[in-house]
mmCIF file of all heavy atoms in Angstrom:
data_model
loop_
_atom_site.group_PDB
_atom_site.id
_atom_site.type_symbol
_atom_site.label_atom_id
_atom_site.label_comp_id
_atom_site.label_asym_id
_atom_site.label_seq_id
_atom_site.Cartn_x
_atom_site.Cartn_y
_atom_site.Cartn_z
ATOM 1 N N VAL E 8 69.249 157.144 31.043
ATOM 2 C CA VAL E 8 69.343 158.370 31.917
ATOM 3 C C VAL E 8 68.638 159.590 31.258
ATOM 4 O O VAL E 8 68.336 159.552 30.100
ATOM 5 C CB VAL E 8 70.799 158.809 32.135
ATOM 6 C CG1 VAL E 8 71.567 157.838 32.911
ATOM 7 C CG2 VAL E 8 71.510 159.143 30.804
ATOM 8 N N GLY E 9 68.495 160.574 32.151
ATOM 9 C CA GLY E 9 68.086 161.903 31.743
ATOM 10 C C GLY E 9 68.691 162.866 32.771
ATOM 11 O O GLY E 9 69.207 162.326 33.849
ATOM 12 N N VAL E 10 68.767 164.113 32.491
ATOM 13 C CA VAL E 10 69.204 165.012 33.628
ATOM 14 C C VAL E 10 68.218 164.959 34.710
ATOM 15 O O VAL E 10 66.966 165.002 34.523
ATOM 16 C CB VAL E 10 69.346 166.469 33.031
ATOM 17 C CG1 VAL E 10 69.777 167.447 34.128
ATOM 18 C CG2 VAL E 10 70.256 166.478 31.793
ATOM 19 N N ALA E 11 68.799 164.792 35.976
ATOM 20 C CA ALA E 11 67.869 164.651 37.146
ATOM 21 C C ALA E 11 67.004 165.925 37.291
ATOM 22 O O ALA E 11 67.385 166.978 36.889
ATOM 23 C CB ALA E 11 68.689 164.468 38.375
ATOM 24 N N TYR E 12 65.878 165.678 37.915
ATOM 25 C CA TYR E 12 64.928 166.788 38.158
ATOM 26 C C TYR E 12 65.620 167.803 39.078
ATOM 27 O O TYR E 12 66.119 167.365 40.191
ATOM 28 C CB TYR E 12 63.654 166.273 38.813
ATOM 29 C CG TYR E 12 62.602 167.354 39.062
ATOM 30 C CD1 TYR E 12 61.860 167.837 38.033
ATOM 31 C CD2 TYR E 12 62.482 167.908 40.318
ATOM 32 C CE1 TYR E 12 60.912 168.897 38.282
ATOM 33 C CE2 TYR E 12 61.569 168.955 40.543
ATOM 34 C CZ TYR E 12 60.821 169.425 39.583
ATOM 35 O OH TYR E 12 59.921 170.463 39.780
ATOM 36 N N GLY E 13 65.552 169.025 38.748
ATOM 37 C CA GLY E 13 66.139 170.039 39.610
ATOM 38 C C GLY E 13 66.390 171.308 38.826
ATOM 39 O O GLY E 13 65.990 171.407 37.630
ATOM 40 N N ALA E 14 67.016 172.313 39.447
ATOM 41 C CA ALA E 14 67.311 173.558 38.809
ATOM 42 C C ALA E 14 68.630 173.482 38.013
ATOM 43 O O ALA E 14 69.630 173.030 38.587
ATOM 44 C CB ALA E 14 67.341 174.687 39.802
ATOM 45 N N ARG E 15 68.620 173.848 36.808
ATOM 46 C CA ARG E 15 69.833 173.792 35.972
ATOM 47 C C ARG E 15 70.565 175.141 35.947
ATOM 48 O O ARG E 15 69.895 176.177 36.125
ATOM 49 C CB ARG E 15 69.506 173.316 34.589
ATOM 50 C CG ARG E 15 68.911 171.936 34.565
ATOM 51 C CD ARG E 15 68.649 171.438 33.163
ATOM 52 N NE ARG E 15 67.861 170.205 33.173
ATOM 53 C CZ ARG E 15 67.558 169.582 32.071
ATOM 54 N NH1 ARG E 15 67.959 170.037 30.874
ATOM 55 N NH2 ARG E 15 66.892 168.459 32.208
ATOM 56 N N GLY E 16 71.825 175.203 35.681
ATOM 57 C CA GLY E 16 72.507 176.428 35.630
ATOM 58 C C GLY E 16 73.032 176.848 36.993
ATOM 59 O O GLY E 16 73.206 176.041 37.876
ATOM 60 N N GLY E 17 73.207 178.151 37.211
ATOM 61 C CA GLY E 17 73.683 178.687 38.403
ATOM 62 C C GLY E 17 75.122 179.123 38.389
ATOM 63 O O GLY E 17 75.974 178.528 37.569
ATOM 64 N N ALA E 18 75.580 180.000 39.203
ATOM 65 C CA ALA E 18 76.926 180.542 39.117
ATOM 66 C C ALA E 18 77.782 179.995 40.301
ATOM 67 O O ALA E 18 79.001 180.280 40.304
ATOM 68 C CB ALA E 18 76.814 182.033 39.252
ATOM 69 N N GLU E 19 77.178 179.396 41.284
ATOM 70 C CA GLU E 19 77.940 179.036 42.417
ATOM 71 C C GLU E 19 78.383 177.585 42.272
ATOM 72 O O GLU E 19 77.789 176.729 41.640
ATOM 73 C CB GLU E 19 77.139 179.126 43.747
ATOM 74 C CG GLU E 19 76.068 178.081 43.915
ATOM 75 C CD GLU E 19 74.840 178.367 43.117
ATOM 76 O OE1 GLU E 19 74.694 179.441 42.506
ATOM 77 O OE2 GLU E 19 74.017 177.494 43.079
ATOM 78 N N PRO E 20 79.621 177.246 42.838
ATOM 79 C CA PRO E 20 80.057 175.833 42.754
ATOM 80 C C PRO E 20 79.218 174.907 43.648
ATOM 81 O O PRO E 20 78.607 175.386 44.571
ATOM 82 C CB PRO E 20 81.453 175.885 43.281
ATOM 83 C CG PRO E 20 81.472 177.116 44.103
ATOM 84 C CD PRO E 20 80.526 178.090 43.579
ATOM 85 N N ASP E 21 79.085 173.686 43.231
ATOM 86 C CA ASP E 21 78.339 172.723 44.052
ATOM 87 C C ASP E 21 79.073 172.427 45.333
ATOM 88 O O ASP E 21 80.286 172.416 45.311
ATOM 89 C CB ASP E 21 78.185 171.402 43.227
ATOM 90 C CG ASP E 21 77.258 170.399 43.859
ATOM 91 O OD1 ASP E 21 76.187 170.859 44.270
ATOM 92 O OD2 ASP E 21 77.592 169.279 43.937
ATOM 93 N N PHE E 22 78.265 172.303 46.402
ATOM 94 C CA PHE E 22 78.840 172.106 47.753
ATOM 95 C C PHE E 22 79.847 170.956 47.827
ATOM 96 O O PHE E 22 80.863 171.085 48.429
ATOM 97 C CB PHE E 22 77.706 171.870 48.824
ATOM 98 C CG PHE E 22 78.236 171.488 50.090
ATOM 99 C CD1 PHE E 22 78.866 172.418 50.958
ATOM 100 C CD2 PHE E 22 78.094 170.214 50.607
ATOM 101 C CE1 PHE E 22 79.270 172.090 52.240
ATOM 102 C CE2 PHE E 22 78.622 169.843 51.845
ATOM 103 C CZ PHE E 22 79.218 170.750 52.655
ATOM 104 N N TRP E 23 79.497 169.776 47.158
ATOM 105 C CA TRP E 23 80.349 168.626 47.284
ATOM 106 C C TRP E 23 81.674 168.748 46.569
ATOM 107 O O TRP E 23 82.477 167.920 46.635
ATOM 108 C CB TRP E 23 79.608 167.360 47.001
ATOM 109 C CG TRP E 23 79.109 167.200 45.628
ATOM 110 C CD1 TRP E 23 78.086 167.885 44.970
ATOM 111 C CD2 TRP E 23 79.576 166.276 44.647
ATOM 112 N NE1 TRP E 23 77.882 167.408 43.775
ATOM 113 C CE2 TRP E 23 78.814 166.467 43.476
ATOM 114 C CE3 TRP E 23 80.554 165.260 44.612
ATOM 115 C CZ2 TRP E 23 78.979 165.643 42.398
ATOM 116 C CZ3 TRP E 23 80.737 164.544 43.529
ATOM 117 C CH2 TRP E 23 79.989 164.744 42.388
ATOM 118 N N THR E 24 81.923 169.798 45.737
ATOM 119 C CA THR E 24 83.172 170.085 45.125
ATOM 120 C C THR E 24 84.126 170.985 46.010
ATOM 121 O O THR E 24 85.249 171.124 45.637
ATOM 122 C CB THR E 24 83.079 170.674 43.713
ATOM 123 O OG1 THR E 24 82.395 171.968 43.853
ATOM 124 C CG2 THR E 24 82.201 169.784 42.834
ATOM 125 N N THR E 25 83.539 171.556 47.010
ATOM 126 C CA THR E 25 84.335 172.422 47.942
ATOM 127 C C THR E 25 85.061 171.580 48.977
ATOM 128 O O THR E 25 84.690 170.504 49.245
ATOM 129 C CB THR E 25 83.432 173.433 48.631
ATOM 130 O OG1 THR E 25 82.532 172.731 49.490
ATOM 131 C CG2 THR E 25 82.633 174.279 47.644
ATOM 132 N N PRO E 26 86.102 172.180 49.652
ATOM 133 C CA PRO E 26 86.775 171.411 50.702
ATOM 134 C C PRO E 26 85.824 170.888 51.806
ATOM 135 O O PRO E 26 85.992 169.771 52.290
ATOM 136 C CB PRO E 26 87.781 172.400 51.310
ATOM 137 C CG PRO E 26 88.138 173.241 50.123
ATOM 138 C CD PRO E 26 86.745 173.444 49.398
ATOM 139 N N ALA E 27 84.889 171.745 52.219
ATOM 140 C CA ALA E 27 83.925 171.341 53.290
ATOM 141 C C ALA E 27 83.017 170.158 52.683
ATOM 142 O O ALA E 27 82.752 169.221 53.383
ATOM 143 C CB ALA E 27 83.065 172.535 53.639
ATOM 144 N N GLY E 28 82.640 170.261 51.454
ATOM 145 C CA GLY E 28 81.814 169.203 50.862
ATOM 146 C C GLY E 28 82.635 167.930 50.733
ATOM 147 O O GLY E 28 82.083 166.815 50.974
ATOM 148 N N GLN E 29 83.844 168.001 50.401
ATOM 149 C CA GLN E 29 84.703 166.793 50.225
ATOM 150 C C GLN E 29 84.879 166.121 51.568
ATOM 151 O O GLN E 29 84.870 164.916 51.737
ATOM 152 C CB GLN E 29 86.006 167.137 49.631
ATOM 153 C CG GLN E 29 85.914 167.486 48.185
ATOM 154 C CD GLN E 29 87.130 168.114 47.578
ATOM 155 O OE1 GLN E 29 88.160 168.368 48.246
ATOM 156 N NE2 GLN E 29 87.077 168.284 46.298
ATOM 157 N N LEU E 30 85.083 166.955 52.722
ATOM 158 C CA LEU E 30 85.164 166.420 54.071
ATOM 159 C C LEU E 30 83.868 165.692 54.425
ATOM 160 O O LEU E 30 83.865 164.623 55.004
ATOM 161 C CB LEU E 30 85.520 167.555 55.093
ATOM 162 C CG LEU E 30 85.497 167.122 56.535
ATOM 163 C CD1 LEU E 30 86.626 166.078 56.779
ATOM 164 C CD2 LEU E 30 85.726 168.364 57.471
ATOM 165 N N ALA E 31 82.722 166.420 54.176
ATOM 166 C CA ALA E 31 81.414 165.831 54.493
ATOM 167 C C ALA E 31 81.228 164.508 53.736
ATOM 168 O O ALA E 31 80.681 163.546 54.315
ATOM 169 C CB ALA E 31 80.265 166.815 54.141
ATOM 170 N N ASP E 32 81.645 164.454 52.485
ATOM 171 C CA ASP E 32 81.557 163.179 51.676
ATOM 172 C C ASP E 32 82.416 162.064 52.364
ATOM 173 O O ASP E 32 81.970 160.945 52.426
ATOM 174 C CB ASP E 32 82.137 163.485 50.288
ATOM 175 C CG ASP E 32 81.790 162.356 49.363
ATOM 176 O OD1 ASP E 32 80.726 161.741 49.501
ATOM 177 O OD2 ASP E 32 82.652 162.076 48.456
ATOM 178 N N ARG E 33 83.639 162.419 52.840
ATOM 179 C CA ARG E 33 84.443 161.401 53.441
ATOM 180 C C ARG E 33 83.820 160.853 54.742
ATOM 181 O O ARG E 33 83.792 159.623 54.967
ATOM 182 C CB ARG E 33 85.907 161.915 53.850
ATOM 183 C CG ARG E 33 86.745 161.984 52.575
ATOM 184 C CD ARG E 33 88.204 162.194 52.955
ATOM 185 N NE ARG E 33 88.516 163.358 53.653
ATOM 186 C CZ ARG E 33 88.750 164.542 53.086
ATOM 187 N NH1 ARG E 33 88.719 164.696 51.792
ATOM 188 N NH2 ARG E 33 88.999 165.642 53.834
ATOM 189 N N VAL E 34 83.207 161.745 55.504
ATOM 190 C CA VAL E 34 82.532 161.375 56.750
ATOM 191 C C VAL E 34 81.265 160.425 56.363
ATOM 192 O O VAL E 34 81.063 159.447 57.021
ATOM 193 C CB VAL E 34 82.072 162.587 57.533
ATOM 194 C CG1 VAL E 34 81.114 162.166 58.683
ATOM 195 C CG2 VAL E 34 83.273 163.278 58.105
ATOM 196 N N ASN E 35 80.546 160.899 55.301
ATOM 197 C CA ASN E 35 79.402 160.165 54.835
ATOM 198 C C ASN E 35 79.743 158.717 54.476
ATOM 199 O O ASN E 35 79.026 157.847 54.771
ATOM 200 C CB ASN E 35 78.823 160.883 53.628
ATOM 201 C CG ASN E 35 77.358 161.071 53.793
ATOM 202 O OD1 ASN E 35 76.670 160.670 54.738
ATOM 203 N ND2 ASN E 35 76.750 161.572 52.715
ATOM 204 N N ARG E 36 80.863 158.543 53.755
ATOM 205 C CA ARG E 36 81.338 157.280 53.365
ATOM 206 C C ARG E 36 81.734 156.345 54.516
ATOM 207 O O ARG E 36 81.675 155.159 54.504
ATOM 208 C CB ARG E 36 82.488 157.371 52.338
ATOM 209 C CG ARG E 36 82.031 157.838 51.024
ATOM 210 C CD ARG E 36 83.152 157.722 50.032
ATOM 211 N NE ARG E 36 83.118 158.825 49.163
ATOM 212 C CZ ARG E 36 84.077 159.172 48.308
ATOM 213 N NH1 ARG E 36 85.141 158.457 48.191
ATOM 214 N NH2 ARG E 36 83.932 160.169 47.544
ATOM 215 N N ALA E 37 82.247 157.020 55.656
ATOM 216 C CA ALA E 37 82.648 156.192 56.754
ATOM 217 C C ALA E 37 81.451 155.738 57.561
ATOM 218 O O ALA E 37 81.570 154.725 58.242
ATOM 219 C CB ALA E 37 83.614 157.108 57.658
ATOM 220 N N VAL E 38 80.287 156.368 57.498
ATOM 221 C CA VAL E 38 79.163 156.024 58.229
ATOM 222 C C VAL E 38 78.338 155.002 57.367
ATOM 223 O O VAL E 38 78.085 155.272 56.179
ATOM 224 C CB VAL E 38 78.211 157.247 58.597
ATOM 225 C CG1 VAL E 38 76.972 156.814 59.267
ATOM 226 C CG2 VAL E 38 79.021 158.230 59.428
ATOM 227 N N PRO E 39 78.034 153.813 57.940
ATOM 228 C CA PRO E 39 77.319 152.852 57.124
ATOM 229 C C PRO E 39 75.955 153.370 56.647
ATOM 230 O O PRO E 39 75.282 154.179 57.375
ATOM 231 C CB PRO E 39 77.146 151.670 58.076
ATOM 232 C CG PRO E 39 77.660 152.094 59.400
ATOM 233 C CD PRO E 39 78.252 153.395 59.271
ATOM 234 N N GLU E 40 75.553 152.889 55.509
ATOM 235 C CA GLU E 40 74.222 153.279 54.983
ATOM 236 C C GLU E 40 73.144 152.694 55.857
ATOM 237 O O GLU E 40 73.261 151.575 56.345
ATOM 238 C CB GLU E 40 74.114 152.733 53.552
ATOM 239 C CG GLU E 40 72.883 153.313 52.793
ATOM 240 C CD GLU E 40 72.973 152.934 51.359
ATOM 241 O OE1 GLU E 40 74.032 153.016 50.724
ATOM 242 O OE2 GLU E 40 71.869 152.635 50.794
ATOM 243 N N PRO E 41 72.150 153.494 56.137
ATOM 244 C CA PRO E 41 70.969 153.014 57.035
ATOM 245 C C PRO E 41 70.335 151.805 56.483
ATOM 246 O O PRO E 41 70.154 151.716 55.294
ATOM 247 C CB PRO E 41 70.043 154.275 57.135
ATOM 248 C CG PRO E 41 70.389 155.115 55.947
ATOM 249 C CD PRO E 41 71.813 154.856 55.638
ATOM 250 N N LYS E 42 70.006 150.845 57.345
ATOM 251 C CA LYS E 42 69.328 149.708 56.914
ATOM 252 C C LYS E 42 67.762 149.733 57.198
ATOM 253 O O LYS E 42 67.380 150.445 58.117
ATOM 254 C CB LYS E 42 69.920 148.466 57.668
ATOM 255 C CG LYS E 42 71.377 148.304 57.445
ATOM 256 C CD LYS E 42 71.685 147.815 56.044
ATOM 257 C CE LYS E 42 73.183 147.563 55.957
ATOM 258 N NZ LYS E 42 73.673 147.800 54.647
ATOM 259 N N GLY E 43 67.070 149.029 56.433
ATOM 260 C CA GLY E 43 65.621 148.984 56.676
ATOM 261 C C GLY E 43 64.992 150.174 56.146
ATOM 262 O O GLY E 43 65.475 151.254 55.830
ATOM 263 N N TRP E 44 63.652 150.048 56.016
ATOM 264 C CA TRP E 44 62.870 151.215 55.423
ATOM 265 C C TRP E 44 62.746 152.393 56.332
ATOM 266 O O TRP E 44 62.723 153.548 55.956
ATOM 267 C CB TRP E 44 61.476 150.720 55.025
ATOM 268 C CG TRP E 44 60.575 150.337 56.084
ATOM 269 C CD1 TRP E 44 60.428 149.063 56.695
ATOM 270 C CD2 TRP E 44 59.669 151.208 56.775
ATOM 271 N NE1 TRP E 44 59.532 149.153 57.676
ATOM 272 C CE2 TRP E 44 58.978 150.421 57.699
ATOM 273 C CE3 TRP E 44 59.274 152.537 56.570
ATOM 274 C CZ2 TRP E 44 57.999 150.995 58.583
ATOM 275 C CZ3 TRP E 44 58.323 153.053 57.419
ATOM 276 C CH2 TRP E 44 57.714 152.301 58.370
ATOM 277 N N VAL E 45 62.789 152.193 57.708
ATOM 278 C CA VAL E 45 62.675 153.265 58.589
ATOM 279 C C VAL E 45 63.910 154.161 58.544
ATOM 280 O O VAL E 45 63.859 155.341 58.464
ATOM 281 C CB VAL E 45 62.435 152.725 60.078
ATOM 282 C CG1 VAL E 45 62.522 153.916 61.056
ATOM 283 C CG2 VAL E 45 61.082 152.092 60.143
ATOM 284 N N GLY E 46 65.095 153.469 58.572
ATOM 285 C CA GLY E 46 66.379 154.209 58.557
ATOM 286 C C GLY E 46 66.470 154.995 57.198
ATOM 287 O O GLY E 46 66.923 156.176 57.260
ATOM 288 N N LYS E 47 66.095 154.356 56.115
ATOM 289 C CA LYS E 47 66.261 155.099 54.858
ATOM 290 C C LYS E 47 65.244 156.198 54.744
ATOM 291 O O LYS E 47 65.517 157.307 54.218
ATOM 292 C CB LYS E 47 66.025 154.101 53.705
ATOM 293 C CG LYS E 47 67.216 153.156 53.633
ATOM 294 C CD LYS E 47 67.053 152.199 52.446
ATOM 295 C CE LYS E 47 68.277 151.192 52.332
ATOM 296 N NZ LYS E 47 68.223 150.290 51.295
ATOM 297 N N ALA E 48 64.028 156.087 55.227
ATOM 298 C CA ALA E 48 63.048 157.090 55.213
ATOM 299 C C ALA E 48 63.545 158.346 56.111
ATOM 300 O O ALA E 48 63.406 159.453 55.692
ATOM 301 C CB ALA E 48 61.723 156.597 55.774
ATOM 302 N N LEU E 49 64.071 158.006 57.254
ATOM 303 C CA LEU E 49 64.560 159.119 58.105
ATOM 304 C C LEU E 49 65.703 159.788 57.501
ATOM 305 O O LEU E 49 65.820 161.046 57.587
ATOM 306 C CB LEU E 49 64.923 158.619 59.547
ATOM 307 C CG LEU E 49 63.737 158.123 60.349
ATOM 308 C CD1 LEU E 49 64.233 157.466 61.669
ATOM 309 C CD2 LEU E 49 62.862 159.189 60.645
ATOM 310 N N THR E 50 66.616 159.106 56.849
ATOM 311 C CA THR E 50 67.731 159.774 56.205
ATOM 312 C C THR E 50 67.206 160.667 55.141
ATOM 313 O O THR E 50 67.723 161.773 55.025
ATOM 314 C CB THR E 50 68.651 158.711 55.554
ATOM 315 O OG1 THR E 50 69.145 157.856 56.641
ATOM 316 C CG2 THR E 50 69.832 159.355 54.918
#
């Protein structure tokens, strides 16, 4: 591993740790992962 490419630091919490982000995460897990290269590319 390495730290993923992106901006480090920041003062705001990450979206997925907030209640709205956790809800979005639950919805995301309920929807099946797209199949095939077209579905993945569009996602």
